[in-house]
Amino acid sequence: MRTQKRSKGILLTAVAVLAALLVLVPFLWVLSTALKPDNELFLFPPRLLPGEFAWNNFSDAWHLLDFPRYFFNSFMVTVPTAFFTVVVCSLAAYAFTRMNFKLRNAMFLLYLSTMMIPQVVRLIPSFIIVKNLHMLNSYAGMILPQIAWSIPFGTFLIRQFFLGIPKELDESARIDGAGHVRIFRSILVPNAVPAMVTLATYIFITSWNNLIWMLVVVSKQEKFTITLGLATMTGPSVDFIPPWNEIMAATLISILPVFILYLFFQKYFIQSVAMSGIKE
């Protein structure tokens, strides 16, 4: 038994190390390229550590794009998207867990079935709706479809978390005269903070990295997000393609807010998965 447990532990550790390498190696290569001088970019065999660190690549990359404007646009899109997704999904999860109505489970399954529709299939109808509402090149047109696409998964995540909160708390609150609003605000929301923060962080990251929808709905440069800005550096219409070390430096600058956000809230991911993933 001990030998089996030890072998299982070694196997799981090896799988975890392999998974970590699959994530870390591309990031380390981007970091290495961002720190290389121009004469080391195409050395063969390639080297992970540069002979000398070219820190000026980051300052040069900062001047290649209008980072302040692109960062502002990205925050104006991602923060409302994350906030309103959490609000809508929390209310929907409350209805599916605390309210009794006909065909509740069937409606929830239908709700979840929309997750199977790929994003590329949603692009054309979403574009037509946004165009007819005259919301092209606007923050509303960039935000609302992303909220709609995120609702099924977000509702599922928070619903699973709500199922783990004892309904006896609701019954005690009703005895004291509390209604649905009070129960939701005073009991469920405080106990579901890990799930809500996890969902908000996940939506923030996916919205920050969203490129395909921004390419469809945005054509004016003053509304470009950071992903669109990066795309213009190597796209087919550019007149000047900067060196790859500056492109990689710009990429690292663009992911810095997401990296910091994840460092602050990663513990909520673990709590949410541990507490919501085991509920039926």
Side-chain angles (χ1 to χ4, degrees), residues 132-151:
N132 291 337
L133 293 176
H134 305 288
M135 292 192 299
L136 295 177
N137 293 301
S138 68
Y139 291 129
M142 300 157 74
I143 292 170
L144 293 177
Q146 294 193 84
I147 295 176
W149 300 339
S150 303
I151 286 175

Side-chain angles (χ1 to χ4, degrees), residues 90-105 107 159 162-163 167 170 174 179-184 188:
S90 300
L91 293 173
Y94 180 86
F96 283 121
T97 57
R98 278 353 194 229
M99 293 182 177
N100 294 318
F101 51 90
K102 292 183 179 180
L103 301 177
R104 184 180 68 175
N105 293 333
M107 289 182 62
R159 174 185 177 272
F162 280 0
L163 289 175
K167 292 187 177 181
D170 303 13
R174 288 194 181 93
H180 287 297
V181 175
R182 183 66 181 274
I183 293 173
F184 174 78
L188 294 184

Side-chain angles (χ1 to χ4, degrees), residues 32 67 69 75 95 105 119 139-140 151 156 212 226 249 256 261:
S32 171
F67 273 102
R69 165 58 61 180
F75 278 109
N105 293 333
Q119 183 180 0
Y139 291 129
I151 286 175
F156 170 77
I212 187 170
I226 193 66
L256 189 59
L261 181 73

Side-chain angles (χ1 to χ4, degrees), residues 23-202:
V23 174
L24 288 176
V25 169
F27 175 79
L28 292 177
W29 189 257
V30 170
L31 179 61
S32 171
T33 305
L35 292 173
K36 289 179 180 178
D38 293 345
N39 58 358
E40 293 188 25
L41 288 177
F42 302 105
L43 286 180
F44 187 84
R47 296 186 301 184
L48 182 62
L49 293 177
E52 58 177 311
F53 293 95
W55 297 102
N56 61 295
N57 289 335
F58 289 91
S59 60
D60 294 340
W62 181 265
H63 294 95
L64 288 176
L65 298 175
D66 188 2
F67 273 102
R69 165 58 61 180
Y70 296 161
F71 273 133
F72 175 80
N73 289 335
S74 292
F75 278 109
M76 288 296 293
V77 172
T78 55
V79 173
T81 300
F83 175 78
F84 287 110
T85 298
V86 171
V87 171
V88 174
C89 293
S90 300
L91 293 173
Y94 180 86
F96 283 121
T97 57
R98 278 353 194 229
M99 293 182 177
N100 294 318
F101 51 90
K102 292 183 179 180
L103 301 177
R104 184 180 68 175
N105 293 333
M107 289 182 62
F108 181 68
L109 291 176
L110 180 63
Y111 206 77
L112 290 183
S113 66
T114 59
M115 294 175 60
M116 295 185 293
I117 303 175
Q119 183 180 0
V120 292
V121 177
R122 308 169 185 169
L123 288 178
I124 294 178
S126 298
F127 173 78
I128 293 174
I129 293 173
V130 170
K131 183 176 181 293
N132 291 337
L133 293 176
H134 305 288
M135 292 192 299
L136 295 177
N137 293 301
S138 68
Y139 291 129
M142 300 157 74
I143 292 170
L144 293 177
Q146 294 193 84
I147 295 176
W149 300 339
S150 303
I151 286 175
F153 169 76
T155 302
F156 170 77
L157 176 66
I158 298 183
R159 174 185 177 272
Q160 294 299 101
F161 207 94
F162 280 0
L163 289 175
I165 301 175
K167 292 187 177 181
E168 288 78 8
L169 297 175
D170 303 13
E171 296 171 359
S172 299
R174 288 194 181 93
I175 293 174
D176 294 333
H180 287 297
V181 175
R182 183 66 181 274
I183 293 173
F184 174 78
R185 184 185 62 188
S186 301
I187 296 178
L188 294 184
V189 170
N191 285 285
V193 169
M196 293 182 178
V197 173
T198 298
L199 177 61
T201 306
Y202 172 78

